[in-house]
Amino acid sequence: MSTVVAQSLHVFGLRSHVANNIFFFDEQIIIFPSGNHCVKYNVDQKWQKFIPGSDKSQDMLALSISPNRRYLAVSETVQEKPVITIYELSSIPCRKRKILNNFDFPVQKFVSMAFSPDSKYLLTQTSPPESNLVYWLWEKQKVMAIIRTDSQNSSVYQVSFSPQDNTQVCVTGNGMFKLLRFAEGTLKQTNFQKGEPQNYLAHTWVSDDKIVVGTDTGRLFLFESGDQRWETSIMVKESTSDTKNLNMIQESESLIQFPTISSPVPSYERVVTTSSHSQITMPQVFAIAAYSKGFACSAGPGRVLLFEKMEEKDFYRESREIRIPVDPQSNDPSQSDKQDVLCLCFSPSEETLIASTSKNQLYSITMSLTEISKGEPAHFEYLLYPLHSASITGLATCIRKPLIATCSLDRSVRIWNYESNTLELFKEYQEEAYTISLHPSGHFIVVGFADKLRLMNLLIDDIRSFKEYSVRGCRECSFSNGGHLFAAVNGNVIHIFTTTSLENISNLKGHTGKIRSIVWNADDSKLISCGTDGAVYEWNLSTGKRETECVLKSCSYNCVTISPDAKIIFAVGSDQTLKEIADSSVLRETSAFDVTYTAVAISHSGRMMFVGTSLGTIRAMKYPLPLQREFNEYHAHAGPVTKILLTFDDQFLLTTAEDGCLFTWKVFDKDGRGIKREREVGFAEEVLVTKTDMEEKAQVMLELKTRVEELKMENEYQLRLKDMNYSEKIKELTDKFIQEMESLKTKNQVLRTEKDKQDVLHREHVDDLLDKQSRELQDLECCNNQKLLLEYEKYQELQLKSQRMQEEYEKQLRDNHETRSQALGELTEFYEAKLQEKTTLLEEAQEDVRQQLREFEETKKQIEEDEDREIQDIKTKYEKKLRDEKEANLRLKGETGIMRKKFSSLQKEIEERTSDIENLKGEQVKLQGVIKSLEKDILSLKREVQERDETIQDKEKRIYDLKKKNQELEKFKFVLDYKIKELKKQIEPRENEIKVMKEQIQEMEAELERFHKQNAQLELHVVELWQKLRAADQETRRERQTERDLEALVKRFKTDLHNCVAYIQEPRLLKEKVRGLFEKYVQRADMVEIVGLNTDLQQEYARQREHLERNLATLKKKVVKESELHRADYVRIMQENVSLIKEINELRRELKFTRSQVYDLEAALKLTKKIRPQEVPETVSSEDMPGVASTVRLNEQEETERIIEMQRLEIQRLRDQIQEQEQVPGFHHLAGIRLPSLLGSEADLEVQTK
């Protein structure tokens, strides 16, 4: 055997469909089934002890506890055979007392059981088609009696003993109510059913001969000795929306006589399926429990009624109603209390009532609370905590907190604490939850729903989603060990997300089938995945590619894990082996011994391994794995194990299964030492709280504090008033009492004096009486003595008389004796004569008999002779037949020889065919394996189809609701359309006027556009003229400069020439001077150069001027184009503004008009009496209409003026923009251009409009 041991610590779950699934062991301890165990739970101290079920148990069907609370009977199916195990509850731990598994009668399973009042006998009921009722002396495993209860294969739901009589038995079922009595080794029915047969679901004994029975139509019957005495029907009531939390009152510890145990419907699923076809709306009575005042019964979904016995009559009346409270955490609170109560049980002191429901929940209520809540229904409270009601699909734990996170197909997410064994948080959603993972810090979870993947915060009192991903049908997700990443599976793709930026950083694609399991290695550098395609991949997250792969297509993997050193991968699947994979190859395969492994986990120390099987068992084994069958196997769950997990410190093992139960196990080695890792830091105690919640709570606290202070003030004031009132009352009372005391003192003194007087009188009276008595005594003694003497004399006389009488009687006796003897003699003579006569008659009768005998013998002889003749005839006839038969026999012998030869040849052919059949069987076995794998795939696909169908149904419901709303809105729309039509009829004349005004406005806008175009052309013309003017100015400046230069040159020449004239008398000097002037002013080479230079300059100047003119023309074209574009934009913007302003004005007019209509309608309906003189009533005559139109016209003119003013402002704004753009370097060529003044254009516009 393995040295690794797992001890079950706590279980979170209930199996509600076990018959009689909850009862009290004593005032504090209850027993209920969970997984493959029965659990003893102490309500006060919160501990659990386990009563393990049978090994290889497939299903637990029914429970029963003996009236003395010493024995527990459990009905199970073990390897497809029924077994009844009886445990002794008084021993610690509970041991098996007897096992009933050898039956002399046909049986498939036992559906109901009951112990006799003295706990010596056991009554069991088998399921159809046998439906046998068996009466056991269970200590000796002896069947005392057996009877078939029903011959029509109807369901039997409950059997029970009378609370005081071992021989009285009751059986109820579909159309069946029987009272049986055990006598002389048989069970005989003592009652006869009258009236129509009912579907009797439950019953209980309220006394020795009275039984209350409930049906599936909400009817209750009271039978006394088999005859119906009382009948009532349970009324259907709508559940109230109250959810008042009543405080638990402590249970009293006084033990009273144990009440009779109620038994619920053993096959709830059968009842529900049969009732669903007929669509029964009446409340079904699934459970009844009796107590001293009456009985309690289930009355439809989420409802229990208490009936009390009436004092004068033997009837019962409804006294209280108890409801299952509405769950605020449910996704649909109105439906959260719609669950059937399957079993009810009272505590021994009748202080507490416990109920189990069809959604695997346990509720309790103290009976004193039901008496407090008069008028309103009382409410149950959870006995433990809200439990899962469907298969658990996800399991996760963290490092920093002792938390377990689970999700289930019941659409809920629950957070458990495995240290305190409590439920921390839970919440239900619209969609089913398939997988869950808990962040190592314990503050976040990621949950895969049918529609989305949600990342959620675990707050102090809520689970809130803060990020959603469109990953549909995510079946696996997991946070990394460091918590910085998490992986989510979508079909055959793995999405990797980061928890810092919440982004999808990579997608791992490679699987061809659905991925069933993923796991991170210790340093989060790699991710291992396995799937239905038989592939195990190891992914490198830095590159997003596969590092190793191992594909085995014949195996569909269920789960994968990795060793702490990340060298070996462990995988389990459909081929019933545990594989060790390393470097893309299978190192070793360990057999599962004809069981499919569904989950696997290895400890962080690497020394222990745990696997879960499809039978619900847990196997603990040492690592490295042994070759032989060396492991400890624990039968924990009642369904296939879905998830298995070890906590970070390797101290606790967590397992979940399809039965909706969560088990926590303590892990030990064989010597009893706990396998523990060193924890550097203890568990964190921090919780997340949102700021809004904190602010709300702070606000509530402030309000409560102020309320408390106000109440204190009020109380102090009230106390002061009461003190004052009481002080006044005390003063009044003290005065009264003092007066009364004084009066009483005076009365007391008077009474004392009277008492003294009475004492004296009494003494004298007593003395007189004593004297009288003494005298009377003496007189009586004298009288009595005389009487005695007289009586003595009378006695003597009487004695003499008696002697005389005796003598006389003796004489009479003698005379009587003599007369009797004479009478006897006479009688003897008379009877002797009669005897002789009778003897003669007898002799004559004997002679007649002899005569008849002779005649009989003669007839006999004749008959014998006739028979002999007939016998000889028959003999000859049959001898002939015998000869014929012998001849036929010889002929048949020949034919048999021929047939033997044929038979031998056929046998050879049969042998050949058998060999062929064996070969085909081998092929069939192979094909069956393939078929099983395909069936599993089909089942999974069917589940998916069911899930899709459910989602489709939900969507269709939503669509139906929306269609209803749409129909209502369409009706509302029709009404509004009608009103709108009426309003349009009233608006039409106004709309015609508005159209005329619009046409006028459009004409004015066209004129305005024309003016804008003319302004733009004039602006361009002005720009051209400005440019020409600048060029002409420049040329004039140049000419003037040249003119100034020439004038200066002429002046200098004139002065030099004037100087030369002074030498006119001297020709030689004059000649030299003139030559000097010529050289100075008129040189030939310079003349030629100047003339050439002037021509070149003129040519260059002409060329540059042509170039500049061309550039100027192109720039002008560009400016014109841009101005046209800008103008079109400006015109469009202005048109939009104008249209918007028109719409605003129209809306204002319509609003004003509708307001006036509303006011008129209200006035017509006499809802208001105010009269507005400014507005015109609707009943205006046609003669007054022109005046109204003129006022409207005036308002429109005002609005057109307002529109023009707004357009002016818009034009001014656009001019400002143009000026700003002109300052940009690209617009320098337009710097000198000014737009025409706004006032001038507006004046022109006014003239044209006039």
Side-chain angles (χ1 to χ4, degrees):
M1 294 299 289
S2 173
T3 59
V4 179
V5 179
Q7 180 184 352
S8 54
L9 284 182
H10 204 88
V11 63
F12 304 94
L14 170 72
R15 294 185 66 186
S16 62
H17 300 306
V18 176
N20 196 14
N21 55 27
I22 186 162
F23 34 76
F24 278 90
F25 176 66
D26 57 27
E27 194 65 33
Q28 286 83 33
I29 297 172
I30 61 170
I31 298 176
F32 60 88
S34 181
N36 198 36
H37 297 299
C38 288
V39 182
K40 289 173 71 176
Y41 177 72
N42 191 304
V43 178
D44 294 336
Q45 299 176 8
K46 309 296 184 187
W47 53 255
Q48 287 186 356
K49 290 182 181 177
F50 294 90
I51 304 169
S54 303
D55 292 344
K56 298 181 181 179
S57 173
Q58 295 169 330
D59 194 11
M60 191 182 295
L61 300 168
L63 301 179
S64 180
I65 192 168
S66 62
N68 60 8
R69 285 348 190 228
R70 288 188 61 191
Y71 305 111
L72 173 68
V74 181
S75 169
E76 296 174 288
T77 304
V78 180
Q79 293 181 341
E80 298 182 357
K81 293 181 181 179
V83 173
I84 296 174
T85 309
I86 298 167
Y87 295 87
E88 190 170 350
L89 296 175
S90 56
S91 63
I92 301 176
C94 300
R95 65 184 182 87
K96 293 181 181 179
R97 182 71 178 266
K98 287 290 176 184
I99 299 174
L100 309 178
N101 54 7
N102 293 321
F103 309 110
D104 298 332
F105 48 89
V107 57
Q108 290 184 356
K109 56 187 177 180
F110 292 98
V111 295
S112 182
M113 300 182 295
F115 277 97
S116 63
D118 58 1
S119 304
K120 291 182 180 179
Y121 300 96
L122 182 68
L123 195 65
T124 60
Q125 174 66 47
T126 68
S127 63
E130 295 87 13
S131 297
N132 290 322
L133 181 67
V134 189
Y135 192 93
W136 295 84
L137 180 64
W138 64 268
E139 284 279 3
K140 296 182 180 179
Q141 300 184 9
K142 182 180 177 182
V143 176
M144 303 294 291
I146 184 169
I147 187 173
R148 182 161 186 175
T149 53
D150 185 39
S151 59
Q152 298 178 355
N153 292 336
S154 297
S155 299
V156 179
Y157 298 134
Q158 186 181 348
V159 297
S160 66
F161 277 98
S162 171
Q164 301 295 330
D165 189 359
N166 284 349
T167 62
Q168 188 76 17
V169 172
C170 180
V171 181
T172 54
N174 190 357
M176 184 194 315
F177 170 70
K178 292 185 179 181
L179 290 174
L180 306 167
R181 184 170 289 281
F182 175 72
E184 299 176 357
T186 58
L187 287 165
K188 295 180 181 178
Q189 186 172 351
T190 60
N191 73 317
F192 295 96
Q193 286 185 256
K194 298 176 183 178
E196 293 183 2
Q198 303 280 336
N199 188 4
Y200 299 105
L201 301 182
H203 70 264
T204 187
W205 295 78
V206 291
S207 66
D208 296 344
D209 57 350
K210 292 180 183 177
I211 305 173
V212 175
V213 186
T215 70
D216 62 347
T217 57
R219 299 173 72 185
L220 293 171
F221 299 95
L222 176 66
F223 292 97
E224 184 177 0
S225 301
D227 297 328
Q228 184 179 329
R229 300 295 185 195
W230 173 74
E231 178 185 354
T232 187
S233 293
I234 297 168
M235 300 302 292
V236 181
K237 293 181 181 178
E238 292 295 326
S239 62
T240 57
S241 60
D242 285 352
T243 54
K244 294 182 179 179
N245 295 320
L246 303 173
N247 296 323
M248 282 288 288
I249 299 171
Q250 292 184 350
E251 298 172 355
S252 63
E253 296 181 357
S254 62
L255 289 172
I256 304 173
Q257 185 179 2
F258 285 58
T260 57
I261 303 159
S262 72
S263 188
V265 177
S267 181
Y268 167 75
E269 291 172 356
R270 279 186 289 158
V271 176
V272 169
T273 52
T274 55
S275 65
S276 64
H277 293 299
S278 58
Q279 295 182 353
I280 294 172
T281 58
M282 297 300 291
Q284 299 183 354
V285 182
F286 286 112
I288 308 177
Y291 69 116
S292 58
K293 293 181 181 178
F295 64 91
C297 69
S298 63
R303 190 162 163 248
V304 172
L305 296 179
L306 297 180
F307 286 84
E308 291 183 359
K309 189 174 181 181
M310 297 173 73
E311 294 179 359
E312 298 175 356
K313 301 178 182 178
D314 289 337
F315 300 154
Y316 293 85
R317 63 177 179 83
E318 182 183 335
S319 60
R320 299 282 182 276
E321 181 182 359
I322 310 171
R323 286 189 177 276
I324 292 173
V326 176
D327 193 353
Q329 299 294 331
S330 174
N331 62 340
D332 189 359
S334 64
Q335 296 296 322
S336 61
D337 59 341
K338 297 293 186 287
Q339 44 187 322
D340 289 306
V341 177
L342 298 186
C343 187
L344 294 169
C345 185
F346 284 96
S347 64
S349 64
E350 297 183 356
E351 180 64 24
T352 308
L353 174 63
I354 291 182
S356 68
T357 69
S358 58
K359 289 188 178 179
N360 297 357
Q361 305 299 329
L362 288 174
Y363 293 96
S364 69
I365 189 169
T366 52
M367 295 302 290
S368 54
L369 286 179
T370 61
E371 296 174 2
I372 293 167
S373 61
K374 289 184 179 179
E376 295 182 357
H379 287 86
F380 282 106
E381 289 187 343
Y382 283 109
L383 178 67
L384 308 168
Y385 20 68
L387 301 169
H388 281 296
S389 61
S391 172
I392 298 174
T393 55
L395 174 69
T397 185
C398 62
I399 299 171
R400 295 286 291 119
K401 291 185 178 183
L403 298 180
I404 308 167
T406 58
C407 65
S408 169
L409 295 179
D410 61 6
R411 302 179 180 182
S412 68
V413 173
R414 297 168 198 262
I415 308 298
W416 313 86
N417 190 317
Y418 61 81
E419 270 199 341
S420 61
N421 294 324
T422 56
L423 178 68
E424 296 275 335
L425 292 169
F426 88 99
K427 196 167 185 181
E428 291 188 8
Y429 296 90
Q430 293 284 344
E431 302 291 338
E432 290 180 349
Y434 298 131
T435 180
I436 193 168
S437 183
L438 191 56
H439 193 269
S441 65
H443 290 152
F444 316 106
I445 57 170
V446 60
V447 186
F449 290 95
D451 58 345
K452 287 183 181 179
L453 178 73
R454 292 182 173 90
L455 196 61
M456 304 183 180
N457 279 326
L458 296 181
L459 305 180
I460 189 170
D461 56 356
D462 194 11
I463 304 172
R464 285 189 197 165
S465 173
F466 66 91
K467 179 67 176 176
E468 292 184 350
Y469 300 95
S470 58
V471 180
R472 292 178 64 84
C474 177
R475 296 279 178 172
E476 285 293 329
C477 65
S478 176
F479 275 105
S480 62
N481 295 310
H484 61 293
L485 300 171
F486 68 90
V489 172
N490 183 11
N492 55 5
V493 180
I494 304 171
H495 303 281
I496 307 296
F497 299 90
T498 175
T499 56
T500 52
S501 63
L502 308 178
E503 293 177 353
N504 184 4
I505 56 173
S506 67
N507 297 320
L508 309 178
K509 299 178 181 179
H511 281 279
T512 57
K514 288 187 177 180
I515 298 168
R516 285 282 180 85
S517 178
I518 54 173
V519 65
W520 299 82
N521 68 344
D523 60 356
D524 296 335
S525 61
K526 295 175 184 177
L527 184 73
I528 295 88
S529 63
C530 70
T532 57
D533 55 355
V536 177
Y537 294 146
E538 185 177 2
W539 305 86
N540 190 326
L541 294 180
S542 59
T543 60
K545 295 181 180 179
R546 288 180 293 200
E547 283 202 348
T548 63
E549 60 182 57
C550 178
V551 182
L552 189 65
K553 291 188 177 180
S554 61
C555 176
S556 175
Y557 287 106
N558 296 323
C559 188
V560 69
T561 188
I562 189 168
S563 61
D565 57 3
K567 291 182 180 178
I568 299 173
I569 299 167
F570 303 94
V572 294
S574 60
D575 60 350
Q576 299 183 352
T577 59
L578 171 62
K579 295 181 176 61
E580 297 180 47
I581 301 168
D583 298 328
S584 301
S585 61
V586 179
L587 294 180
R588 184 179 170 199
E589 289 188 359
T590 306
S591 174
F593 303 100
D594 299 328
V595 172
T596 302
Y597 287 147
T598 57
V600 62
I602 191 167
S603 66
H604 297 86
S605 62
R607 292 183 291 165
M608 302 176 294
M609 182 170 284
F610 300 91
V611 290
T613 69
S614 59
L615 300 178
T617 59
I618 307 297
R619 291 182 179 178
M621 53 188 79
K622 196 81 174 173
Y623 187 77
L625 299 173
L627 293 171
Q628 287 78 23
R629 190 167 181 162
E630 294 181 8
F631 52 78
N632 292 324
E633 189 165 13
Y634 304 98
H635 295 268
H637 293 280
V641 176
T642 54
K643 296 289 179 183
I644 191 165
L645 201 63
L646 276 158
T647 57
F648 183 70
D649 54 3
D650 286 346
Q651 277 200 298
F652 298 99
L653 176 70
L654 313 172
T655 61
T656 60
E658 290 181 6
D659 58 0
C661 296
L662 165 64
F663 273 85
T664 61
W665 309 74
K666 183 77 173 175
V667 180
F668 297 98
D669 63 5
K670 207 166 187 179
D671 300 329
R673 292 183 288 105
I675 302 165
K676 192 174 181 180
R677 297 175 73 192
E678 294 292 330
R679 287 190 68 88
E680 297 178 359
V681 184
F683 286 125
E685 295 182 356
E686 297 85 3
V687 292
L688 293 179
V689 183
T690 60
K691 190 176 180 182
T692 54
D693 289 345
M694 286 292 289
E695 289 172 354
E696 286 175 3
K697 287 180 180 177
Q699 187 67 29
V700 171
M701 284 172 70
L702 284 171
E703 290 174 359
L704 290 171
K705 280 180 181 177
T706 54
R707 180 70 180 150
V708 166
E709 288 174 359
E710 289 173 1
L711 288 170
K712 279 182 181 178
M713 295 286 286
E714 286 180 7
N715 286 331
E716 286 175 359
Y717 179 66
Q718 293 291 335
L719 285 168
R720 285 197 202 101
L721 289 174
K722 286 179 181 178
D723 288 337
M724 291 168 69
N725 292 328
Y726 287 137
S727 60
E728 290 175 359
K729 285 181 182 178
I730 287 164
K731 282 180 183 178
E732 292 174 359
L733 290 169
T734 49
D735 295 337
K736 282 182 183 178
F737 285 128
I738 288 164
Q739 291 173 2
E740 287 178 0
M741 284 169 70
E742 288 175 354
S743 64
L744 287 169
K745 280 179 182 178
T746 54
K747 282 181 183 178
N748 196 9
Q749 287 175 358
V750 171
L751 289 168
R752 277 180 183 172
T753 53
E754 288 179 359
K755 186 195 168 207
D756 294 337
K757 289 176 184 177
Q758 291 289 333
D759 285 338
V760 173
L761 292 169
H762 182 66
R763 286 194 198 101
E764 292 174 355
H765 184 63
V766 166
D767 292 336
D768 294 337
L769 286 170
L770 286 170
D771 293 337
K772 280 182 184 178
Q773 192 180 11
S774 60
R775 289 192 213 99
E776 287 174 356
L777 274 170
Q778 288 174 1
D779 296 337
L780 284 168
E781 282 178 358
C782 294
C783 293
N784 283 329
N785 289 327
Q786 292 174 359
K787 284 179 180 179
L788 279 169
L789 289 168
L790 291 169
E791 291 292 329
Y792 183 69
E793 290 174 355
K794 286 180 181 178
Y795 171 71
Q796 285 179 347
E797 289 176 358
L798 288 168
Q799 200 169 7
L800 290 169
K801 277 184 181 179
S802 68
Q803 286 176 0
R804 290 188 203 121
M805 292 286 286
Q806 193 171 1
E807 289 174 356
E808 288 176 359
Y809 282 122
E810 284 176 355
K811 284 179 184 178
Q812 287 177 1
L813 279 168
R814 289 190 207 102
D815 296 337
N816 287 328
H817 186 67
E818 288 174 357
T819 55
R820 188 169 63 83
S821 61
Q822 289 176 0
L824 268 171
E826 291 174 357
L827 284 168
T828 50
E829 288 174 357
F830 176 71
Y831 280 111
E832 280 175 357
K834 273 192 174 183
L835 206 149
Q836 286 176 359
E837 289 176 2
K838 294 288 180 188
T839 49
T840 55
L841 288 169
L842 200 143
E843 286 173 357
E844 290 174 358
Q846 282 177 353
E847 286 178 0
D848 292 335
V849 167
R850 289 190 201 102
Q851 183 86 17
Q852 287 175 0
L853 280 169
R854 286 191 208 103
E855 290 174 358
F856 175 72
E857 283 176 356
E858 287 176 0
T859 54
K860 185 180 174 185
K861 283 177 184 177
Q862 290 175 0
I863 290 164
E864 282 177 354
E865 288 173 358
D866 294 335
E867 291 297 325
D868 288 335
R869 285 193 211 100
E870 287 179 2
I871 287 163
Q872 283 177 358
D873 295 336
I874 290 164
K875 191 176 178 183
T876 54
K877 199 184 288 182
Y878 280 107
E879 280 176 354
K880 285 179 183 179
K881 281 186 180 180
L882 200 142
R883 284 191 214 103
D884 296 335
E885 290 291 333
K886 280 180 180 178
E887 289 173 359
N889 196 3
L890 290 168
R891 193 167 58 253
L892 289 168
K893 278 181 181 177
E895 288 175 0
T896 50
I898 296 161
M899 293 301 287
R900 276 175 188 165
K901 289 177 183 177
K902 287 182 180 179
F903 179 71
S904 60
S905 62
L906 287 168
Q907 264 188 339
K908 288 177 184 177
E909 288 180 2
I910 287 161
E911 287 173 358
E912 292 173 359
R913 292 283 181 270
T914 50
S915 62
D916 294 336
I917 287 162
E918 286 175 358
N919 295 328
L920 290 169
K921 278 183 179 177
E923 292 177 1
Q924 187 184 1
V925 169
K926 292 177 184 176
L927 291 169
Q928 278 178 350
V930 176
I931 288 162
K932 284 180 182 176
S933 62
L934 292 170
E935 282 176 351
K936 287 180 182 176
D937 294 335
I938 288 162
L939 284 170
S940 62
L941 290 168
K942 281 182 179 177
R943 284 177 191 159
E944 286 183 5
V945 169
Q946 286 179 354
E947 292 164 3
R948 298 275 173 85
D949 289 338
E950 288 173 0
T951 52
I952 287 162
Q953 286 175 2
D954 294 336
K955 300 290 183 188
E956 284 178 351
K957 284 180 183 176
R958 288 182 190 170
I959 289 162
Y960 180 68
D961 295 335
L962 290 169
K963 280 181 179 177
K964 279 188 175 177
K965 288 182 182 176
N966 196 6
Q967 286 176 358
E968 291 173 0
L969 289 170
E970 282 178 354
K971 290 176 184 176
F972 191 59
K973 183 190 170 187
F974 180 73
V975 175
L976 288 174
D977 286 337
Y978 182 71
K979 288 183 180 178
I980 288 162
K981 285 176 183 176
E982 288 183 350
L983 290 170
K984 280 182 177 177
K985 287 176 184 176
Q986 294 172 2
I987 288 165
E988 278 178 1
R990 304 289 174 88
E991 283 182 346
N992 294 327
E993 293 175 2
I994 289 161
K995 283 179 182 177
V996 173
M997 295 300 293
K998 280 182 180 176
E999 289 173 359
Q1000 290 179 357
I1001 289 162
Q1002 285 176 359
E1003 290 173 0
M1004 291 170 73
E1005 283 175 355
E1007 289 177 359
L1008 190 67
E1009 285 179 6
R1010 194 164 61 252
F1011 286 135
H1012 279 301
K1013 287 178 183 178
Q1014 289 177 359
N1015 287 333
Q1017 289 174 359
L1018 290 168
E1019 283 171 3
L1020 288 171
H1021 189 60
V1022 167
V1023 168
E1024 289 176 359
L1025 291 171
W1026 274 106
Q1027 287 177 354
K1028 287 179 181 179
L1029 187 65
R1030 279 176 192 158
D1033 285 337
Q1034 287 176 1
E1035 286 177 0
T1036 51
R1037 284 192 202 103
R1038 281 194 223 103
E1039 292 294 331
R1040 282 171 184 168
Q1041 186 65 37
T1042 52
E1043 189 180 353
R1044 285 191 211 102
D1045 294 338
L1046 288 170
E1047 284 177 354
L1049 185 66
V1050 167
K1051 281 180 182 179
R1052 285 198 301 272
F1053 184 72
K1054 279 181 179 180
T1055 54
D1056 291 336
L1057 185 61
H1058 185 69
N1059 291 329
C1060 287
V1061 168
Y1063 299 104
I1064 198 164
Q1065 300 294 330
E1066 296 176 359
R1068 189 178 53 82
L1069 289 169
L1070 183 61
K1071 187 179 179 180
E1072 288 175 358
K1073 290 290 183 184
V1074 168
R1075 191 177 289 160
L1077 283 170
F1078 183 80
E1079 288 173 359
K1080 186 177 180 180
Y1081 293 105
V1082 185
Q1083 293 183 1
R1084 195 173 293 276
D1086 291 339
M1087 285 289 287
V1088 173
E1089 286 175 4
I1090 286 163
V1091 171
L1093 184 63
N1094 287 333
T1095 56
D1096 292 337
L1097 281 169
Q1098 285 175 357
Q1099 288 175 359
E1100 183 65 27
Y1101 174 72
R1103 190 172 58 80
Q1104 287 288 336
R1105 185 171 178 176
E1106 285 176 1
H1107 176 67
L1108 288 169
E1109 283 177 353
R1110 280 197 301 272
N1111 285 339
L1112 187 64
T1114 54
L1115 287 169
K1116 281 179 182 178
K1117 289 177 183 177
K1118 283 182 182 178
V1119 167
V1120 169
K1121 285 181 183 178
E1122 287 177 359
S1123 63
E1124 286 177 356
L1125 290 171
H1126 285 298
R1127 193 181 299 112
D1129 291 336
Y1130 295 153
V1131 168
R1132 182 177 53 78
I1133 291 162
M1134 284 172 69
Q1135 287 177 351
E1136 288 176 359
N1137 287 335
V1138 169
S1139 63
L1140 288 169
I1141 290 161
K1142 285 179 185 177
E1143 287 178 5
I1144 289 162
N1145 291 326
E1146 287 174 3
L1147 290 169
R1148 282 175 181 165
R1149 282 197 296 275
E1150 288 177 3
L1151 182 64
K1152 191 174 181 182
F1153 186 65
T1154 50
R1155 278 179 180 167
S1156 66
Q1157 280 187 340
V1158 168
Y1159 178 80
D1160 294 335
L1161 289 168
E1162 285 178 354
L1165 294 168
K1166 296 183 181 178
L1167 294 172
T1168 178
K1169 293 182 180 178
K1170 293 181 181 179
I1171 298 168
R1172 293 187 292 178
Q1174 293 178 358
E1175 293 182 359
V1176 181
E1178 284 187 2
T1179 60
V1180 178
S1181 64
S1182 60
E1183 295 174 359
D1184 297 331
M1185 285 302 290
V1188 176
S1190 64
T1191 56
V1192 172
R1193 184 77 179 217
L1194 185 63
N1195 292 330
E1196 287 179 356
Q1197 286 179 359
E1198 289 175 359
E1199 284 179 3
T1200 51
E1201 289 175 1
R1202 202 176 299 130
I1203 290 164
I1204 291 164
E1205 185 67 30
M1206 290 173 71
Q1207 287 176 352
R1208 284 175 185 166
L1209 294 170
E1210 182 66 18
I1211 291 163
Q1212 187 64 40
R1213 187 180 63 77
L1214 292 169
R1215 281 181 175 163
D1216 295 336
Q1217 285 183 1
I1218 291 164
Q1219 286 178 2
E1220 288 174 1
Q1221 289 178 357
E1222 283 176 355
Q1223 293 174 5
V1224 179
F1227 289 92
H1228 280 303
H1229 59 281
L1230 297 172
I1233 300 166
R1234 284 180 71 246
L1235 290 168
S1237 65
L1238 185 66
L1239 295 169
S1241 63
E1242 286 171 357
D1244 295 336
L1245 186 74
E1246 286 176 2
V1247 168
Q1248 286 181 1
T1249 52
K1250 287 177 182 178

